[in-house]
Amino acid sequence: MADEKTNRQSFTVQADYCAAMDAPITTRVCLSLGRVIDRETATGRAVLDWPGEPVADAIVLRLVGGFHALHRSGADWGVSRVFRGELIDPTGVDVLLEEALITHDAALLPWLDGPPQTNEAGRSAGLMTGLLHLARRFGPKIELLEIGSSAGLNLMINHYSYDLGGVKVGPDPAALLIKPAWRGPPPPDAPVEIVGVRGVDIAPVNLANDAAAERLAAYVWVDALERQTRIDTAIAMVRQHGVSLDQGDAADWVEARLLEPQAPDTTRVLMHSVVWQYLSVEGRDRIRAAMAAAGARATGERRLGWVMMEPNRDLHRHEVRVQGWPCSTPMELVALTHAHGAWVEGLEAPYETRDYVMRGGGAVDQR
């Protein structure tokens, strides 16, 4: 259980991640809130008395999302000055954000109720990198199962086009081109045919609801202009095409889906990005067990794969890992990636780093 000191320090921890990802305004907001938050407001008391692990629970980003919503709606001129980058003096920023905490206490408090739904289409660049490795190994036909789908933006992976270090994937033209800055060797140039995409989330976001869509957009950092444009496009695509997104527990859903009949000559793939940390220890264990059992049943005609893009807390980086069955090869690290997909670094060969999945992964959301 955390204490007030730990909860307050989480603002500095999050600010460090924001600074590392070149987000100076969000960094400034995190540091200021860490200085000014106190017990004079219900929001402040909820943050300082937070019972869980504040970084893993992304408590700071929940609150920052609420402040960004104030800016986007024009509800507070002082907050907007800070979020537009017009005011950078720490003392001045502190004054305006402290006033906003008091004035908008009732509006900010509900933002602490659930984890940030920062569904980011750019992360699908890392996921597609992993899928290319599986496609090279097993063939093009892939059936995707995603956990932690949030609003379903990555369920649109077969509607986006990609340029991954010169390797082109997806429809051309497409409404959204995802072209991260590429480092290192490109991924395998293998054909990919996604024959089905389904997802689940414990609290899926209904993008047909304007308020829900606005809340999702508010979680995008104000510094990230490209991300803001991308999320608007992705939301429009979900509304146009629709997604197969269930509400439910990830472990229950994975166990059920893996027992369903599988079409021949396909690879059924479990994928996820920045979600593993939000699952319970029991849930993670159940998913591992279900995948191991399904892997033991896999054949050359009905294959199984696992692709993840998750943060490594120990090494402070996001990693793309891949495993496939039938195969004796363990989980492989195939790429590193920016938290929001701004860049991807392909790796020459599997690296002997700590095995995130098999260890249980104390991941931290570095969004």
Side-chain angles (χ1 to χ4, degrees):
M1 180 178 293
D3 54 24
E4 179 174 334
K5 180 180 179 181
T6 302
N7 290 335
R8 191 180 293 276
Q9 286 175 338
S10 68
F11 286 85
T12 301
V13 173
Q14 184 61 58
D16 288 343
Y17 288 132
C18 295
M21 287 184 280
D22 194 26
I25 295 175
T26 307
T27 300
R28 193 176 301 124
V29 170
C30 291
L31 290 173
S32 177
L33 289 174
R35 290 190 296 265
V36 304
I37 199 160
D38 57 29
R39 298 184 176 278
E40 296 302 310
T41 63
T43 301
R45 291 189 293 273
V47 169
L48 296 177
D49 293 334
W50 191 257
E53 207 290 311
V55 177
D57 291 345
I59 185 64
V60 177
L61 293 178
R62 300 183 194 208
L63 185 56
V64 171
F67 272 88
H68 192 192
L70 294 177
H71 163 60
R72 288 175 60 91
S73 68
D76 190 294
W77 72 272
V79 168
S80 288
R81 286 193 65 201
V82 175
F83 273 74
R84 287 195 297 264
E86 296 172 359
L87 183 64
I88 63 174
D89 172 65
T91 301
V93 172
D94 287 356
V95 169
L96 293 179
L97 296 191
E98 186 174 21
E99 289 177 351
L101 273 168
I102 296 170
T103 302
H104 304 285
D105 188 22
L108 291 168
L109 184 60
W111 285 82
L112 304 179
D113 289 344
Q117 292 277 14
T118 45
N119 202 190
E120 173 52 62
R123 287 178 178 152
S124 65
L127 296 172
M128 180 57 77
T129 298
L131 293 177
L132 287 169
H133 282 268
L134 286 178
R136 177 180 63 179
R137 184 185 305 177
F138 291 140
K141 292 188 177 181
I142 291 174
E143 172 201 350
L144 285 177
L145 304 174
E146 186 189 36
I147 57 174
S149 295
S150 185
L153 299 191
N154 286 326
L155 296 177
M156 300 296 296
I157 191 169
N158 56 330
H159 291 278
Y160 304 148
S161 64
Y162 298 86
D163 185 335
L164 305 174
V167 174
K168 306 293 180 64
V169 187
D172 183 22
L176 182 58
L177 168 65
I178 297 178
K179 185 179 181 181
W182 194 268
R183 305 172 182 177
D189 191 357
V192 174
E193 180 186 352
I194 297 176
V195 298
V197 189
R198 292 180 289 174
V200 69
D201 196 272
I202 194 67
V205 178
N206 178 11
L207 291 180
N209 181 291
D210 289 341
E214 173 58 26
R215 186 180 182 95
L216 186 71
Y219 284 124
V220 176
W221 296 350
V222 70
D223 315 76
L225 299 180
E226 182 178 0
R227 286 184 66 205
Q228 291 180 45
T229 299
R230 184 163 58 226
I231 199 168
D232 288 341
T233 302
I235 287 172
M237 293 176 71
V238 170
R239 288 176 166 179
Q240 177 184 356
H241 298 284
V243 291
S244 177
L245 176 55
D246 298 327
Q247 189 279 327
D249 175 79
D252 290 343
W253 191 82
V254 169
E255 289 170 345
R257 300 291 79 74
L258 292 178
L259 292 175
E260 292 177 347
Q262 181 176 344
D265 193 30
T266 62
T267 305
R268 176 174 284 170
V269 179
L270 173 66
M271 73 173 189
H272 51 88
S273 58
V274 196
V275 68
W276 199 248
Q277 72 192 66
Y278 294 117
L279 304 180
S280 67
V281 173
E282 178 192 9
R284 294 195 296 259
D285 287 344
R286 287 172 57 195
I287 291 172
R288 290 192 203 94
M291 289 295 287
R297 299 191 300 268
T299 67
E301 190 174 39
R302 292 174 173 85
R303 290 88 56 180
L304 180 70
W306 196 345
V307 173
M308 66 181 69
M309 183 213 134
E310 295 288 349
N312 183 316
R313 169 179 287 178
D314 298 327
L315 300 178
H316 297 283
R317 67 187 190 186
H318 284 69
E319 301 174 342
V320 179
R321 291 180 175 272
V322 174
Q323 189 166 8
W325 296 266
C327 185
S328 60
T329 304
M331 185 74 71
E332 297 176 354
L333 176 63
V334 299
L336 306 178
T337 179
H338 180 273
H340 305 128
W343 55 262
V344 177
E345 180 180 349
L347 301 179
E348 291 282 2
Y351 277 64
E352 295 292 334
T353 60
R354 299 175 182 179
D355 192 324
Y356 174 84
V357 170
M358 305 317 293
R359 287 175 57 238
V364 59
D365 187 354
Q366 300 173 17
R367 290 173 289 186

